[in-house]
Amino acid sequence: MTNNVADHHPGNSFTEGNHEGDFGCSVGELRNLMELRSAEAVARLNDSYGGVHNVCKRLKTSPVEGLSGNPTDLEKRRQVFGQNFIPPKKAKTFLQLVWEALQDVTLIILEIAAIISLGLSFYHPPGGDNELCGQSSGGVEDEGESQAGWIEGAAILFSVIIVVLVTAFNDWSKEKQFRGLQSRIEQEQKFTVIRKGQVIQIPVAEIVVGDIAQIKYGDLLPSDGILIQGNDLKIDESSLTGESDQVKKSLDKDPMLLSGTHVMEGSGRMVVTAVGINSQTGIIFTLLGAGEGDEEKKVKKAKTQDGVALEIQPLKSQEGVENEEKEKKKVKVPKKEKSVLQGKLTRLAVQIGKAGLIMSAITVIILVLYFVIDTFGVQGRPWLAECTPIYIQYFVKFFIIGVTVLVVAVPEGLPLAVTISLAYSVKKMMKDNNLVRHLDACETMGNATAICSDKTGTLTMNRMTVVQAYVGDTHYRQIPDPEAILPKILDLIVNGVAINSAYTSKILPPEKEGGLPRQVGNKTECALLGFVLDLKQDYQAVRNEVPEEKLYKVYTFNSVRKSMSTVLKNGNGGFRMYSKGASEIILRKCTRILDKNGDPRVFKSKDRDEMVKKVIEPMACHGLRTICLAFRDFPADAEPDWDSENEILSELTCIAVVGIEDPVRPEVPDAILKCQRAGITVRMVTGDNINTARAIATKCGILLPGEDFLCLEGKEFNRLIRNEKGEVEQEQLDKIWPKLRVLARSSPTDKHTLVKGIIDSTVGDQRQVVAVTGDGTNDGPALKKADVGFAMGIAGTDVAKEASDIILTDDNFTSIVKAVMWGRNVYDSISKFLQFQLTVNVVAVIVAFTGACITQDSPLKAVQMLWVNLIMDTFASLALATEPPSESLLLRKPYGRNKPLISRTMMKNILGHAVYQLTIIFTLLFVGEKLFDIDSGRNAPLHSPPTEHYTIVFNTFVMMQLFNEINARKIHGERNVFEAIYRNPIFCTVVLGTFAAQIIIVEFGGKPFSCSGLTLSQWFWCIFIGVGELLWGQLICTVPTSHLKFLKEAGHGITKEEIPEEELPEDVDEIDHAEMELRRGQILWFRGLNRIQTQMDVVYTFQTGASSLQGALRRQPSIVSQHHDVKNVSSPTHVALSSVNSTPTTSAVAAAAASPPAGNQSGECVP
């Protein structure tokens, strides 16, 4: 961190002449200024700097024109004030990942067994050749024999290394992909600044100190700054302060804007005063040791305000931070911990692992007992001391066989398959305009049963144009001729539109010749500006005449007001206010309307009803949004009270009502049809009025003629689902949502209520999985609550993107359908892999087990098992997890939350193939030597050379797996397993590669792989038996699953009943118990560490006087904060803590006196 600072600011010590690089203020001064709030800040600004305009002067920038954009100037600013980026945390190195992969229990057991085996093979006891030691030294004695004992141990170690490297490499590439994704997300973030008087958008990282930035509703501020000019600006600073109230910003009260905060309302301009590591967010990161993982960012901002927790932070490693986060998560809306799929898989893997453990234990016990009884009981040999090593070698061999059974039984490929499949899908989804921010979102999407979509921009093109207007008592069905409108009305329209809209909204000439003009900014405002241009008027001239500084008061648009008003001061001291907004809202506040002569006449409620019937409803039925323009004059005598909005926004005079069309995207109806075919209900949630919404929903195909669907307005919806007290009642909601298709005039809370209601609902045969699209700041809560939140990449605000799981880079509904396809594909890939994996597991375990019990030696040797395990787990997961999706995935219904991973059909396939493979293997094992006319390999002594017999068994086994891998490509009982196989080059490569490797192992593997070369005819037989798998697969397909009632499904999700009450978080399905155990262990361990640190500080204080007391006291709060979830902490520590607030020395004495020895202490906090 520190060297970074040094690199960027050569003069960054505060002592050196405080005006670095001839700017009027130094980094340090600006930093100190930005730490102040509200009144203090205003005072300091005015006293030390003479107001914000002087700050701009000192920073050599113009509040109106901005920076010149000259590269040398920008570079100089970067040198002096730093760059606007926070260095990311270092990625894990490959070696760290290797070390992590080595932590796997089964691998550790194998390593130990291999090392013991190695050690024993080099140990030759003097009496080893004694006949009395049984058959151990019998068999063929060739010169390489005694030396060959070490090969097995070495081979096991070697294969362990391979497995570890493959796992580590996969983790590493995943990490790399994820970082690429992060940087891609960061590059996409742009921000609006003014340079050379031009409003341009630049990547956030290129913002420098002195830039003039335009901020508006929905922005996430990229740097610190001071407000130059603001309209009704409200900021949510909870990410820094933890206060949820919105803070009003104004020049005279509180002009300080901080990075990482959200603009909730209004707009304005600010001068950038601190970027990157010098901004408020950056300072916090520096204190925390350069952003520890992107996920923690948000949480930490909140935490660091008290300043105390910071000092201790670096002592705790990553996990410590995570634990604190877990405690914080109760406040934040938790992101889902484990995805549904991972939950199911973890449980399945644990179940299989347990079964494998039991099998391997039994195998070892049987082998040992048989050997002991046979040697010492049946043959009646005495146990001789010099024979001990040989017996031990036998026992080690048995132990290794046991471990191999375990290794084969545990499907360690499962997590790998999930990772590969998700990572692959995420990469490919980028091409389909889905930028996935959370890996598990893509698989959840495959289970989606409902999509709640916005209308504007997602279903429609978000290219608004005015197509009808009602002006001066006349309803024009197309844009009127400018001549037809009276000049004074025309003037009002032009001013009302040009001034009363964000100055950031404008219409630019088309990029290509003959293209449509470009709309920049708010699309509705662009439509109105376009209307002004169509009337052959120029809005820019009006804006130049009335720059933003001259606007007296602005009531910006927000989701509650649904209108916008701007007040201007007239020359005579009076005021004029222009308003625009949803027609039914503004018309209610109008008491007059302009007639065809341009004179106001009285407008009563019956006139309004008539207007709604004759003008507004016909427009709405054509799917138009109606916007009303109005104005009001205030007399010069007394200034009205601008804060009482209801009085200000009344007695308006209506100028005109316009109908704005937003055409449906041409590809949407088809996409919605696909969704409905795939069993996904599409609902439209919009702020528009109900007629417009209904018209658009019919065009899209959300509403089909002749079906009884509900279209509700927000008000009506709330009336139906809330009780007298205004609380939402789930059973009321359950009556409504199944039929609800359109929710119009809805507020963000309605959207959130609907999403939450559908997710929590238990009506119907399966739980709903809901996807939501959103673009506005107000959609944040709904996006977070949904199982998958889609944010719009183009129209979406930063707040919405922050809350989402997937960003649609082209804002198009069809991309959501692609996401569904990929999601289902992930699910199917995992199932394919499982089907393949479990067949192998079942067969290998049974073969090893029975073989060991009958012939005292596993027919498949440890190294062979490891090879099979490697191809099965690692390569098969690669091959099957990267199948590309096909359209046919959209023809079936979604699986839902609690559908098991392994369906009946899959169970049928697994058991069916297992039967075939076992029959073949046992036939070969017990009568193979007769069929092939070779020596039997059974009952070979300890170090005998490999036999052809066992090589054939091994080879056939692998061939059957290879062909079964092709069978595993289909899981729903389809017959054609080769369908589209050439579309997946990875699959073909893996299968052919494995085949080639198998040939090499059998022909040249020799002793390490316990193989001896085979003749051509033996090879053909092995392959022929393998091909038999494909034919057998066809036979299995013929057996109808419906008849096999006895087959159980496996791999269910966790049901609610299985989780103890106190652990139910917001998202029930996502808890994973293994995770919890780990967490608990870590928390206790960190607590112990903290305790010891505190005591050491106290003891140290005693020795050195009070100098390090600061340290001790500083650390206390973080320990106190951790107390609440350890129930029986020993009392002495309480003494140490409770006395913190007494005088320093007594607290130290008390702590030292009360604390037992440090070592004991950490042991005590284990509940």
Side-chain angles (χ1 to χ4, degrees), residues 94 154 163 252 337 363 625 666 772 915 932 966 1139:
F94 188 67
V163 172
D252 45 355
E337 279 304 287
T363 312
R625 279 175 75 173
V772 169
V915 168
F932 282 104
I966 300 175
S1139 46

Side-chain angles (χ1 to χ4, degrees), residues 991-1009:
V991 172
L992 296 173
T994 315
F995 185 64
Q998 180 65 16
I999 297 179
I1000 293 169
I1001 286 175
V1002 170
E1003 294 302 317
F1004 310 107
K1007 186 70 193 175
F1009 279 97

Side-chain angles (χ1 to χ4, degrees), residues 157-220:
L157 280 182
F158 181 68
S159 29
V160 165
I161 290 170
I162 296 285
V163 172
V164 165
L165 287 178
V166 169
T167 318
F169 179 74
N170 270 309
D171 283 349
W172 177 77
S173 55
K174 179 180 91 183
E175 172 103 344
K176 197 169 122 208
Q177 263 178 358
F178 191 68
R179 283 191 176 266
L181 190 73
Q182 279 307 97
S183 61
R184 161 111 192 238
I185 291 177
E186 279 160 20
Q187 280 158 10
E188 298 229 323
Q189 260 190 321
K190 290 207 163 40
F191 208 77
T192 315
V193 297
I194 302 175
R195 287 191 181 168
K196 275 205 293 222
Q198 294 293 315
V199 179
I200 56 169
Q201 288 209 320
I202 58 171
V204 168
E206 289 178 19
I207 292 175
V208 294
V209 170
D211 259 324
I212 305 295
Q214 282 198 340
I215 53 177
K216 60 178 187 310
Y217 153 84
D219 282 343
L220 182 109

Side-chain angles (χ1 to χ4, degrees), residues 53 89 199 212 405 428 557 728 741 784 951 978 1089:
H53 285 279
K89 185 176 135 234
V199 179
I212 305 295
V405 173
K428 289 276 187 256
F557 181 88
V728 177
R741 287 296 177 274
K784 262 205 156 74
T951 308
F978 288 103
L1089 256 183

